[in-house]
Amino acid sequence: MTMENKTEEIIRVEGVSFSYDGVPALLDVNLSVHRGDFLAIIGPNGSGKTTLLKIMVGLLKPGQGRVWLFGQPLEAFKQWHKIGYIQQKATNFDPIFPISVAEVIAASLNSVSRPVKPGRGQVRNKIMEALQTVGLETEAGRPMNSLSGGQQQRVLIARALSTEPEILLLDEPTTGIDYPSQENFYDLLGKLNKQKQLTIVLVTHDYGIVNRHVNRVACLNQKLVYHGEHSEFCQSDRFRELLHGGHHLISHRH
Amino acid sequence: MNGELIFSGLFLRALLAGGGLALACGLLGVFLVLRRDAMISHGLSHVAFAGVALGLALNLMPLIFSIVVCLAGSLLILRLKEQARLPGDTAIALLSSGGLALAVFLMSIKKDFGAELMAYLFGDILAIAPSEVYLAVGLALVVTAGILLNLSRLVFMTFDREAALVSGFSLGRLDRLLVMMTAVTIVLGLRIVGLLLVTGLTVIPAASALQLARNFRQTLLLSSFFSLLSILGGIVLAYVFNLPASAAIIFLALLIFSLSHLLKRWR
Ligand SMILES: Nc1ncnc2c1ncn2[C@@H]1O[C@H](COP(=O)(O)OP(=O)(O)OP(=O)(O)O)[C@@H](O)[C@H]1O
Ligand SMILES: [Mg+2]
């Protein structure tokens, strides 16, 4: 499905370069994400995918270039409740941390700056709603560290969804999750994207699994090698040149 | 046991100050342990000790003076950690050795307050003055309120700092608040159990709570309860059996830890 008629621009990255102590990680990246997009960012290890995502959410300041969120310069942006972010290896939290599934979500819900603070009963409802979306409503009282890796990942998705964001940015969210669970997970993302118009930016190595949900692709290797419609991308094989040997990246429908 | 003794002002004052301190330590300790900042209290206790020495040398109120010095020290540790790119424990080592060196130096040039300073090495809660009780209770309440008012954000940033950074609240401000509350608590702890044992007071109840708790609420409740039990129980034991209070408090805390640990393994 192509989206010719452009909707609101949610993220705009303009001429962004970034280096870690003088070692370049990103060079002159231009990219925009529109409302309703499901953008996959792909590229080999060390190609700057995580760096780009961190710049998009303000965790890193670009050396050059600028970022806009919802039409505002990032430095002036305040509506952080509109943004859900799940970092790479998000489930690498402290295994002794004593916290229940519901508390993980409540801590975020009560912290995020938003115009109107939700009341206590509302928080409870939002927690259960978010857990239902990921199919974990029966586990609200369990300690987080007693869940499996895949379940933990889903709790973190629920946490990101609980604040009702308008865009979700995920950095390799299914590392270490079995194949059927991965498919379920991406089906869920696809559903949220189509039914709730949730905009999604997904960094992934498993392009084969996600490609039926994705409508745009950005292929990164320090520079943006390709940025455009998913359908066109499938005809070209630029990313195969780029990711030589990455056979698992090729769509199972081709 | 003599009923009049139990209700003597001395004893009640000790319980009151101890109770306030226990609450602050129990709540704060959970965050110190989970943030891997347990050694901050160790470092700050040495800074607080230097503050007491300075206060005594200058004939100022040692407790107040120590709080000021310790607050400055706590912010310095944060800065060193962030800006000098030092690992936290190294920044703490710089400050704690500096603090102790200063205290030793001051003792050598002004010999007359050595004995008074020694009281802060081992603490002496049963000798606490009425004015100190008000200070202790007041500050303990401030620390408790500081934690409870920011509870969600403190939990969020301790559990998942990167996600918290994308939530639009200032983590730097909360880092400073936490380290300053630690500084205040340490100075009060110095008066009660002394330099040598104050780290234990901030860490052991939280460590015991971690053995048993299944969620964060339970952790805070258990840690505060264990902290109260150790400090109040220790004071009573010390009073009744004429023991050093600081030792009794730490022994009780360790006993609770051992029992919690056994209970966890047995469950
Ligand atoms: N904190 C850091 N300090 C120094 N260099 C870094 C840091 N983080 C990343 N880099 C370097 O920047 C480059 C881009 O890293 P980045 O993490 O953005 O890659 P990535 O595309 O996400 O890789 P992966 O697929 O392995 O997650 C790499 O060469 C990496 O070594
Ligand atoms: Mg990465």
Side-chain angles (χ1 to χ4, degrees), chain A residues 85 87 98 103 111 113 159, chain B residues 153 160 162 168 215-217:
Chain A
Y85 166 68
Q87 72 264 40
E103 284 176 331
S111 297
S113 313
R159 179 180 74 185
Chain B
R153 290 180 170 186
D160 189 343
E162 190 163 333
N215 58 45
F216 207 82
R217 217 177 103 90

Side-chain angles (χ1 to χ4, degrees), chain A residues 19-43:
Chain A
S19 12
Y20 290 100
D21 293 323
V23 185
L26 291 175
L27 289 170
D28 191 29
V29 173
N30 293 284
L31 182 133
S32 57
V33 182
H34 291 85
R35 189 177 293 281
D37 274 357
F38 193 143
L39 168 73
I41 299 178
I42 59 175

Side-chain angles (χ1 to χ4, degrees), chain A residues 8-253:
Chain A
E8 179 195 355
E9 192 174 50
I10 291 191
I11 298 186
R12 179 185 186 80
V13 173
E14 207 177 83
V16 161
S17 300
F18 185 87
S19 12
Y20 290 100
D21 293 323
V23 185
L26 291 175
L27 289 170
D28 191 29
V29 173
N30 293 284
L31 182 133
S32 57
V33 182
H34 291 85
R35 189 177 293 281
D37 274 357
F38 193 143
L39 168 73
I41 299 178
I42 59 175
N45 290 135
S47 58
K49 304 181 297 295
T50 296
T51 307
L52 178 59
L53 221 59
K54 285 186 176 175
I55 286 175
M56 284 175 167
V57 297
L59 286 171
L60 293 173
K61 299 231 175 329
Q64 275 148 41
R66 296 189 69 184
V67 178
W68 278 264
L69 298 176
F70 293 87
Q72 288 172 305
L74 191 142
E75 310 79 57
F77 184 73
K78 294 270 189 294
Q79 302 156 304
W80 289 100
H81 62 279
K82 290 185 175 176
I83 294 187
Y85 166 68
I86 298 178
Q87 72 264 40
Q88 191 167 11
K89 301 198 184 124
T91 53
N92 273 12
F93 53 79
D94 182 1
I96 65 158
F97 205 103
I99 191 164
S100 72
V101 167
E103 284 176 331
V104 168
I105 301 176
S108 156
L109 260 177
N110 291 324
S111 297
V112 173
S113 313
R114 45 165 61 235
V116 189
K117 277 229 172 282
R120 200 176 275 242
Q122 258 177 311
V123 167
R124 183 167 293 271
N125 288 342
K126 281 174 191 282
I127 292 172
M128 291 321 287
E129 220 172 280
L131 283 175
Q132 255 157 22
T133 313
V134 298
L136 286 176
E137 64 276 16
T138 54
E139 316 294 322
R142 278 184 62 186
M144 187 68 173
N145 54 19
S146 74
L147 302 182
S148 75
Q151 290 173 320
Q152 290 172 348
Q153 193 63 270
R154 283 193 282 163
V155 173
L156 297 180
I157 305 288
R159 179 180 74 185
L161 291 175
S162 67
T163 56
E164 291 158 42
E166 293 175 25
I167 179 169
L168 205 53
L169 301 105
L170 309 107
D171 195 347
E172 296 189 40
T174 56
T175 314
I177 295 182
D178 65 44
Y179 192 84
S181 305
Q182 283 193 28
E183 284 217 309
N184 283 340
F185 175 71
Y186 288 124
D187 286 346
L188 170 67
L189 288 188
K191 207 171 82 185
L192 290 167
N193 174 244
K194 292 208 176 56
Q195 293 176 359
K196 297 199 172 170
Q197 279 286 295
L198 180 66
T199 309
I200 294 176
V201 176
L202 172 72
V203 170
T204 182
H205 283 289
D206 305 304
Y207 194 64
I209 309 183
V210 296
N211 71 11
R212 64 198 148 99
H213 302 298
V214 162
N215 69 359
R216 297 183 72 81
V217 184
C219 195
L220 194 66
N221 201 353
Q222 285 197 359
K223 295 179 183 171
L224 211 52
V225 182
Y226 177 93
H227 177 212
E229 301 297 326
H230 158 68
S231 48
E232 292 162 27
F233 183 67
C234 286
Q235 265 109 57
S236 79
D237 52 7
R238 302 229 17 203
F239 81 125
R240 201 200 297 233
E241 298 160 24
L242 186 79
L243 311 161
H244 47 91
H247 56 275
H248 62 287
L249 289 167
I250 289 154
S251 159
H252 57 235
R253 294 196 306 183

Side-chain angles (χ1 to χ4, degrees), chain B residues 76-259:
Chain B
L76 191 62
I77 288 184
L78 258 195
R79 274 187 91 93
L80 282 176
K81 242 167 98 171
E82 283 161 9
Q83 293 179 5
R85 290 226 190 162
L86 288 179
D89 50 353
T90 306
I92 290 163
L94 290 187
L95 240 73
S96 64
S97 46
L100 210 53
L102 182 60
V104 170
F105 175 72
L106 287 170
M107 257 199 292
S108 76
I109 55 170
K110 272 199 89 169
K111 296 205 164 52
D112 54 326
F113 66 81
E116 218 175 325
L117 191 59
M118 281 305 141
Y120 287 86
L121 261 187
F122 302 104
D124 193 0
I125 191 170
L126 291 171
I128 197 162
S131 64
E132 291 174 324
V133 175
Y134 295 134
L135 189 70
V137 171
L139 288 175
L141 287 179
V142 168
V143 170
T144 305
I147 289 178
L148 293 182
L149 287 176
N150 293 289
L151 192 54
S152 288
R153 290 180 170 186
L154 286 171
V155 174
F156 194 16
M157 84 176 193
T158 307
F159 179 64
D160 189 343
R161 196 169 174 91
E162 190 163 333
L165 278 166
V166 187
S167 296
F169 65 90
S170 163
L171 275 67
R173 206 179 57 87
L174 280 185
D175 284 339
R176 286 193 294 279
L177 179 73
L178 211 55
V179 81
M180 287 168 72
M181 293 193 302
T182 309
V184 168
T185 307
I186 288 300
V187 175
L188 298 180
L190 205 65
R191 185 75 185 87
I192 291 177
V193 294
L195 169 72
L196 297 175
L197 297 172
V198 66
T199 306
L201 196 57
T202 53
V203 169
I204 303 169
S208 312
L210 284 179
Q211 302 299 307
L212 300 175
R214 288 169 61 82
N215 58 45
F216 207 82
R217 217 177 103 90
Q218 281 179 11
T219 312
L220 288 178
L221 289 173
L222 280 176
S223 180
S224 317
F225 175 65
F226 291 157
S227 183
L228 277 166
L229 202 62
S230 317
I231 294 187
L232 300 185
I235 293 171
V236 172
L237 286 180
Y239 198 75
V240 174
F241 297 109
N242 198 20
L243 301 168
S246 49
I249 290 169
I250 298 293
F251 276 141
L252 253 185
L254 285 173
L255 180 68
I256 292 170
F257 175 80
S258 310
L259 292 177

